[in-house]
Amino acid sequence: MSQQYPLKEVKGDAVCFVPGSPLFSVLMEPASFCYPRLTFLRSPYGQFGASAGSSQDLAPWPQRLVTQRWTGPVDESPPAAMSRNGYFFEESGYLKCDTDDGCEAKEETGGEELFDAVNSSIVSGDSIRFFVNVNLEVPPNAAAENESAGCVLLHTSRKYLKLKNFEEEVRAHRDLDGFLARASIILDETATSLDDVLREMLKHFAEDPENTEPSCNFEKIMSTLFTDSGTPREGNGTHDVSESTGMNIQTCTSHLKFHLLSDTIQGVTATVTGVQYQQSWLCIICTIKSLQRRHVCISRLERPQNWGENSCEVRFVILVLAPPKMKSTKTATEVGRTFATMFSDITFRQKLLETKTEEEFKEALVHQRHLLTVVNQRPSAMSDGHKSHGPKPLKLHEFLNVGKGISDDIARRFPVYALDFTDGVIGNNKAIGKYITTMIFLYFACLLPSIAFGSLNDENTRGAIDVQKTIVGQCIGGLLYALFSGQPLVVLLTTAPLALYINVIRGICDDYNLDFSAFYAWIGLWNSFFLVMYSLFNFSLLMKLFKRSTEEIIALFISITFVLDAFKGIIKVFKKYYYHGRTGDSYLEKARTDAIPSLGINTTFLMNSSVSRSMSLENQTGTHDVHYGRETAVLSLMLMLGTLWLGHTLYQFKKSPYLHARVREILSDCALPISVLTFSVVGSYIFKEIEMSKFNYNPSESLFVLAPVQSLSIGSVMSAMGLGFLLSMLFFIEQNIVASLTNAPENRLVKGTAYHWDLLLVALINTGLSVFGLPWIHAAFPHSPMHVRALAYVEERVENGHIYETIVSVKETRLTSLVANFLVGLSLLLLPFPLQWIPKPVLYGLFLYIALTSIDGNQLFERVALLLKEQTAYPPTHYIRRVPQRKIHYFTGLQVLQLLILCGFGMSPLPYMKMIFPLIMIGMIPIRYNLLPRIIEAKYLDAMDAEH
């Protein structure tokens, strides 16, 4: 049996049978040949080249000629590594190879016959080598063609798939139900070759009237299942049909062709020595354009079949066919993952072998689904059982343990305090360039709202709080928070709700003849007092009641107010300039009377800058010849849209292929300052002949003057306590929600949180600001999440054709906030010029830019967008996999309804109604826990509220 033949003794066309990857077929039309003797080497899974446990003669199969050479004794067993993992084959090409073991053209002088020898060796030990020798006689006229053909290259890609969770992923049950309704099961298939088995399965599809595809060509499906790895060769050949496969192939003297399965799923087990394959089943998946719906067929073979490496004793074949345009949870891969998860259980496969009829086969499938569902439920109930019935109940003693939250926060953050200054500066992973770009971004993100709200407060308070005081308060508060906070990535700013409160306070002082500075100071002191109480008694624990969906409703509401305020400002510009001839000079007086009711809320940059626009324009008419032409309105619109376009384009530039990756990242991080500076130059210098309104600037006589708090009566102080309590609720909710969004799990922050300590620090900072008449500040959205994003390392990943970004790591540092707020303080030297050269339409464009970038990653916005998308474009997110589509849309609709309620109160023209806005946000908690579970099952609500 170990006899070897000289190369010239084997005549005719043959093919090298090299099982370098599982499940391939060899197709050829034999010419004149002789039958060489074959040496079979027994593997742990049966004999190589034949069915497991058999020693069939290959004479009936002239298409498959294999000669093997074993350099050791024939009866010697393979080594241990080979026994565990099967044969490790070194793949080679055919006919002509450029490797050391490659083909050599040998010419004999007698008959001038040219032979190509292909040797494929499998190294599995120091003393054992396994050779596959194929000797091909090539006619002389094909020698030149063989020289140019060479080896073919085969690209192999492998990836792990997660087992399907039958308890969470609703599609798993629906896939099985759909299969059971139109079951295509073949029991005890007698075919031995893979081609014949697949053809019988496709034939079963064709004969089933329920599975008929009118426009389906099963010959094309058969060819699509395989990846052609041959090198076509021109020559005189004829078309013929292979008896073993029925596939139409072209044969010629020198044409050889073999193919491998394109897409398969197999079960594997990780071991110390490598990956061990489950050899008894195979799932074949394929996408066919001509199909109208998905098809699944399961074939149980009569005997185990040896189809190559890692598939030596196959008993079950699962064939999944699907059209290309399918929802991400209905693709061929997802359906195959469902059945592959079931067949990965060896006990289940043993039960299927014992079934006699299709009904018993179906019952085994249903039973296995039940077992998988129960197994997945047990650990889920132990770990996340509290989520099914709402949040973990808060105990009273958690609030009575005074100062525990603050002490825990300090104990958590103090050990890494020094690292907040050295990370990215000292060590291997330096990020100085990212720090510089983030500082520039943060400087403009803090300075611009300070200017805008300073100008607005200047008008509302008649100079009591102006631009200078706003910049000073931002600098002092920002520096203190950056130095001593537990989460320095949170950005403190004065916001639109605070501007609204200041406006209301000024109106109360005018009505009751109160000193504004004293009344403002007392409200701020009461606000700080309540915040200190909240932090000491651990009230931040209540934020556990705010689910992700509630936080995203508030975040999306803020983004909407950005857009509304921007359009509100540009509309008033058009009313002022574009239709000036119709409205006349009475518009300025009307704008002044409508200023208070038209204020917006919760826009972190500017609430109603159109009021200041009208005021400033009226002031400018006294000294300048203002152009009341349409060119001013058109230029304002161009500046707003241009700022939005340039900022967003540069923000997305990191995804483009242009320039170097580092340059793209710098341009993306500096998108905000570049867009503002560019269109400020365009509006104030290039089109300087067109008058554009600027923000008001009235220099203060003194920046630090103590408020006369002793001048108010006891009654006034008590009334200030009520306003201070409402203000403290706004501070409490805004501070904690923004901190929660900053510390979201997808941001991958590792140094811990400090909700209680940060709330206490904000109270202390605002105490000093209140006493000196400086504007209040608290955590701002979306600046804080954008600060995290600027310091993050982001990479793009592809899942089922969908590209999404994920944060790999974030540089948690205090340096960016320190430097940015220090530069804000130095900006006092730039007043009034050149800062007054920034036109207000540029700020409107900035609002749109902030709104557009803040909705990135907002699940509520993504689910609203699903209503406008076809199902094939749905991303494979966790809630798409776990929640039925109808429930997703129900939940989205209920969130939109809550959003509309927030807009009704937050954008109301009545200022006093806006003051109870924090109560509306708190009222969303019982809606989430008491009302929504009556409409949507709790498990689906928990899935859509989950972080991943």
Side-chain angles (χ1 to χ4, degrees):
M1 292 295 292
S2 61
Q3 180 180 359
Q4 301 183 22
Y5 294 86
L7 294 176
K8 63 180 180 180
E9 288 190 19
V10 181
K11 307 287 185 180
D13 295 339
V15 66
C16 179
F17 189 78
V18 182
S21 57
L23 304 176
F24 60 94
S25 299
V26 182
L27 305 178
M28 61 170 289
E29 186 67 18
S32 59
F33 54 82
C34 62
Y35 291 90
R37 297 188 63 182
L38 304 176
T39 301
F40 281 87
L41 176 64
R42 182 174 295 276
S43 73
Y45 311 104
Q47 291 199 350
F48 173 80
S51 300
S54 65
S55 58
Q56 303 176 16
D57 189 5
L58 293 186
W61 300 339
Q63 293 87 349
R64 294 165 172 82
L65 299 180
V66 181
T67 61
Q68 302 177 353
R69 182 175 61 192
W70 181 259
T71 59
V74 176
D75 56 349
E76 183 177 349
S77 299
M82 188 181 298
S83 300
R84 286 190 300 268
N85 299 317
Y87 292 105
F88 295 90
F89 291 89
E90 178 184 344
E91 296 187 14
S92 69
Y94 54 91
L95 294 181
K96 181 67 179 177
C97 297
D98 296 329
T99 59
D100 294 338
D101 295 331
C103 308
E104 294 181 0
K106 297 185 179 181
E107 182 178 356
E108 296 188 2
T109 56
E112 294 187 357
E113 295 175 338
L114 185 64
F115 297 95
D116 285 349
V118 180
N119 298 328
S120 178
S121 60
I122 299 91
V123 181
S124 54
D126 295 336
S127 60
I128 301 178
R129 287 178 65 86
F130 178 67
F131 292 88
V132 178
N133 298 332
V134 177
N135 306 284
L136 305 178
E137 179 183 5
V138 183
N141 57 0
E145 297 179 3
N146 293 338
E147 291 289 340
S148 62
C151 296
V152 294
L153 301 178
L154 180 65
H155 173 247
T156 303
S157 178
R158 291 184 176 91
K159 64 178 181 180
Y160 286 103
L161 295 178
K162 293 182 179 179
L163 293 175
K164 207 142 197 177
N165 191 323
F166 275 69
E167 193 271 332
E168 294 183 352
E169 299 188 52
V170 294
R171 182 51 57 182
H173 296 271
R174 296 188 177 184
D175 289 341
L176 185 57
D177 291 338
F179 172 74
L180 295 176
R182 312 183 294 270
S184 182
I185 301 173
I186 303 176
L187 299 181
D188 300 329
E189 173 60 50
T190 58
T192 57
S193 68
L194 176 61
D195 291 46
D196 292 341
V197 171
L198 293 177
R199 189 160 294 279
E200 287 297 326
M201 299 174 79
L202 294 178
K203 182 180 178 181
H204 196 272
F205 279 139
E207 294 175 351
D208 190 348
E210 296 183 0
N211 290 337
T212 301
E213 294 279 353
S215 61
C216 182
N217 188 332
F218 288 99
E219 294 295 334
K220 291 184 179 179
I221 294 179
M222 196 68 183
S223 61
T224 307
L225 290 174
F226 295 92
T227 298
D228 185 10
S229 298
T231 51
R233 301 170 184 276
E234 296 180 357
N236 296 326
T238 60
H239 291 279
D240 197 2
V241 178
S242 173
E243 296 178 359
S244 62
T245 63
M247 295 181 61
N248 190 12
I249 61 174
Q250 183 177 3
T251 62
C252 63
T253 309
S254 61
H255 180 72
L256 300 175
K257 187 176 181 181
F258 66 93
H259 50 225
L260 303 93
L261 284 174
S262 300
D263 211 348
T264 62
I265 300 177
Q266 277 187 282
V268 295
T269 303
T271 62
V272 178
T273 57
V275 175
Q276 184 176 1
Y277 285 78
Q278 294 181 356
Q279 312 256 351
S280 61
W281 65 276
L282 179 72
C283 181
I284 305 170
I285 58 179
C286 186
T287 300
I288 307 296
K289 293 183 179 180
S290 59
L291 293 182
Q292 297 180 356
R293 56 183 175 85
R294 299 171 298 165
H295 301 276
V296 180
C297 181
I298 299 178
S299 178
R300 186 183 69 185
L301 306 184
E302 185 179 18
R303 291 181 300 174
Q305 300 298 326
N306 186 349
W307 288 336
E309 185 184 16
N310 301 326
S311 301
C312 296
E313 46 184 12
V314 179
R315 288 298 303 272
F316 297 97
V317 179
I318 306 135
L319 178 61
V320 179
L321 305 177
K325 290 188 176 182
M326 296 294 293
K327 188 179 177 181
S328 59
T329 56
K330 297 180 180 179
T331 60
T333 302
E334 288 298 316
V335 178
R337 193 165 70 96
T338 299
F339 289 93
T341 301
M342 302 179 70
F343 275 83
S344 62
D345 186 357
I346 187 173
T347 305
F348 170 65
R349 298 197 300 269
Q350 187 63 33
K351 289 181 180 179
L352 292 182
L353 291 176
E354 298 173 357
T355 58
K356 304 299 183 182
T357 63
E358 289 189 10
E359 293 300 325
E360 294 180 3
F361 200 95
K362 293 180 182 179
E363 292 177 0
L365 289 172
V366 174
H367 181 67
Q368 179 67 7
R369 174 177 64 177
H370 174 71
L371 292 179
L372 289 174
T373 304
V374 172
V375 168
N376 288 327
Q377 280 180 344
R378 289 173 181 172
S380 176
M382 295 174 60
S383 59
D384 299 327
H386 63 281
K387 292 185 180 180
S388 300
H389 307 283
K392 184 179 178 180
L394 296 173
K395 303 299 181 61
L396 181 61
H397 68 84
E398 296 182 86
F399 299 100
L400 297 179
N401 197 348
V402 180
K404 185 178 185 302
I406 297 176
S407 61
D408 291 344
D409 291 343
I410 295 176
R412 186 185 305 115
R413 292 291 305 191
F414 185 74
V416 296
Y417 183 78
L419 297 178
D420 292 338
F421 294 93
T422 59
D423 283 351
V425 179
I426 300 175
N428 296 328
N429 299 323
K430 294 183 179 180
I432 298 178
K434 181 173 284 292
Y435 284 2
I436 293 175
T437 56
T438 304
M439 291 170 188
I440 297 174
F441 153 76
L442 199 58
Y443 165 67
F444 279 87
C446 294
L447 177 64
L448 295 178
S450 299
I451 294 174
F453 287 119
S455 177
L456 183 61
N457 289 330
D458 188 16
E459 299 168 4
N460 293 336
T461 63
R462 292 188 288 277
I465 300 176
D466 57 8
V467 175
Q468 280 184 304
K469 287 189 174 181
T470 305
I471 292 179
V472 170
Q474 175 65 42
C475 175
I476 295 176
L479 287 175
L480 291 176
Y481 192 84
L483 282 173
F484 303 111
S485 65
Q487 181 49 272
L489 299 184
V490 172
V491 178
L492 297 189
L493 288 174
T494 182
T495 59
L498 299 181
L500 170 68
Y501 269 76
I502 294 174
N503 187 26
V504 172
I505 292 170
R506 184 68 203 190
I508 294 175
C509 292
D510 293 341
D511 294 338
Y512 295 96
N513 297 320
L514 300 176
D515 184 86
F516 173 78
S517 300
F519 196 60
Y520 176 84
W522 272 112
I523 294 176
L525 292 175
W526 280 117
N527 168 57
S528 298
F529 169 77
F530 287 116
L531 291 180
V532 171
M533 292 297 102
Y534 299 157
S535 60
L536 290 177
F537 289 96
N538 311 317
F539 272 37
S540 291
L541 294 175
L542 293 174
M543 296 308 298
K544 294 181 179 180
L545 301 177
F546 280 85
K547 288 286 190 176
R548 177 184 180 128
S549 58
T550 306
E551 296 174 352
E552 292 187 338
I553 290 174
I554 298 173
L556 189 57
F557 167 75
I558 297 174
S559 300
I560 292 176
T561 55
F562 276 125
V563 178
L564 292 180
D565 285 338
F567 281 103
K568 186 188 302 181
I570 202 67
I571 287 174
K572 289 198 173 185
V573 170
F574 267 74
K575 287 182 178 180
K576 169 63 181 175
Y577 294 106
Y578 199 83
Y579 301 103
H580 175 70
R582 300 179 183 178
T583 58
D585 296 334
S586 61
Y587 176 77
L588 288 176
E589 185 64 27
K590 184 176 183 300
R592 183 186 295 107
T593 57
D594 294 342
I596 299 304
S598 64
L599 289 175
I601 185 171
N602 235 22
T603 305
T604 314
F605 274 159
L606 187 59
M607 183 171 48
N608 189 16
S609 58
S610 58
V611 178
S612 61
R613 164 182 287 274
S614 301
M615 297 295 186
S616 62
L617 284 176
E618 186 180 18
N619 294 335
Q620 291 171 10
T621 55
T623 56
H624 298 285
D625 185 14
V626 181
H627 292 269
Y628 290 104
R630 294 185 174 184
E631 63 272 14
T632 300
V634 174
L635 180 60
S636 298
L637 179 63
M638 293 178 59
L639 292 179
M640 182 187 74
L641 297 181
T643 304
L644 170 64
W645 169 79
L646 182 59
H648 189 261
T649 301
L650 293 178
Y651 180 75
Q652 299 290 336
F653 194 71
K654 57 186 175 183
K655 300 180 181 179
S656 69
Y658 304 106
L659 304 180
H660 190 269
R662 182 54 185 161
V663 177
R664 296 197 300 266
E665 184 179 2
I666 293 176
L667 290 176
S668 178
D669 292 340
C670 297
L672 173 64
I674 291 177
S675 60
V676 170
L677 292 177
T678 300
F679 283 91
S680 295
V681 172
V682 171
S684 299
Y685 182 75
I686 297 180
F687 294 96
K688 57 185 177 180
E689 67 277 4
I690 300 177
E691 189 71 26
M692 301 296 296
S693 64
K694 308 295 191 299
F695 63 84
N696 285 338
Y697 171 71
N698 298 316
S700 301
E701 297 178 359
S702 179
L703 294 176
F704 298 97
V705 178
L706 285 174
V709 293
Q710 70 281 357
S711 63
L712 292 184
S713 63
I714 299 298
S716 300
V717 173
M718 291 298 102
S719 62
M721 181 178 67
L723 292 175
F725 174 73
L726 292 175
L727 183 62
S728 69
M729 294 183 64
L730 175 65
F731 267 75
F732 176 78
I733 294 177
E734 290 274 355
Q735 178 70 31
N736 283 282
I737 285 182
V738 172
S740 178
L741 294 173
T742 303
N743 292 298
E746 57 264 28
N747 290 337
R748 302 183 187 276
L749 303 182
V750 297
K751 293 184 179 180
T753 61
Y755 293 100
H756 310 280
W757 167 251
D758 287 348
L759 189 62
L760 176 62
L761 182 60
V762 169
L764 298 177
I765 291 174
N766 282 278
T767 299
L769 298 179
S770 302
V771 173
F772 288 100
L774 302 177
W776 302 308
I777 58 176
H778 61 64
F781 179 87
H783 302 76
S784 300
M786 292 179 68
H787 186 201
V788 175
R789 190 81 172 184
L791 291 171
Y793 291 95
V794 182
E795 67 179 21
E796 290 185 348
R797 295 179 181 177
V798 180
E799 183 176 353
N800 294 338
H802 295 270
I803 302 176
Y804 64 97
E805 291 184 344
T806 181
I807 293 179
V808 179
S809 63
V810 177
K811 289 294 184 182
E812 302 180 51
T813 180
R814 300 177 185 270
L815 298 178
T816 52
S817 295
L818 278 172
V819 175
N821 285 284
F822 178 75
L823 294 177
V824 169
L826 293 181
S827 299
L828 288 172
L829 303 176
L830 303 179
L831 287 174
F833 298 102
L835 290 181
Q836 210 171 17
W837 289 347
I838 301 177
K840 287 190 175 179
V842 173
L843 295 179
Y844 300 154
L846 192 62
F847 300 160
L848 297 178
Y849 167 80
I850 293 295
L852 189 61
T853 54
S854 65
I855 62 177
D856 189 17
N858 189 296
Q859 285 188 12
L860 173 57
F861 180 79
E862 293 175 355
R863 281 187 271 107
V864 171
L866 291 181
L867 298 173
L868 306 176
K869 295 182 180 180
E870 59 178 351
Q871 292 189 3
T872 57
Y874 282 15
T877 56
H878 65 278
Y879 53 85
I880 293 293
R881 296 181 182 276
R882 299 179 183 180
V883 184
Q885 179 177 330
R886 184 177 300 176
K887 302 294 183 181
I888 293 176
H889 295 329
Y890 284 167
F891 184 69
T892 303
L894 293 172
Q895 280 188 294
V896 171
L897 181 59
Q898 297 177 71
L899 179 62
L900 293 177
I901 295 175
L902 281 181
C903 293
F905 282 89
M907 301 176 185
S908 172
L910 301 177
Y912 291 97
M913 184 177 292
K914 297 177 183 179
M915 297 185 66
I916 64 172
F917 178 75
L919 299 178
I920 305 301
M921 291 190 288
I922 294 177
M924 297 171 63
I925 296 178
I927 294 177
R928 169 61 180 83
Y929 291 108
N930 297 326
L931 179 60
L932 294 187
R934 298 178 183 271
I935 304 174
I936 303 174
E937 292 87 336
K939 64 178 182 179
Y940 296 145
L941 289 176
D942 294 336
M944 287 183 283
D945 267 338
E947 303 296 342
H948 299 286

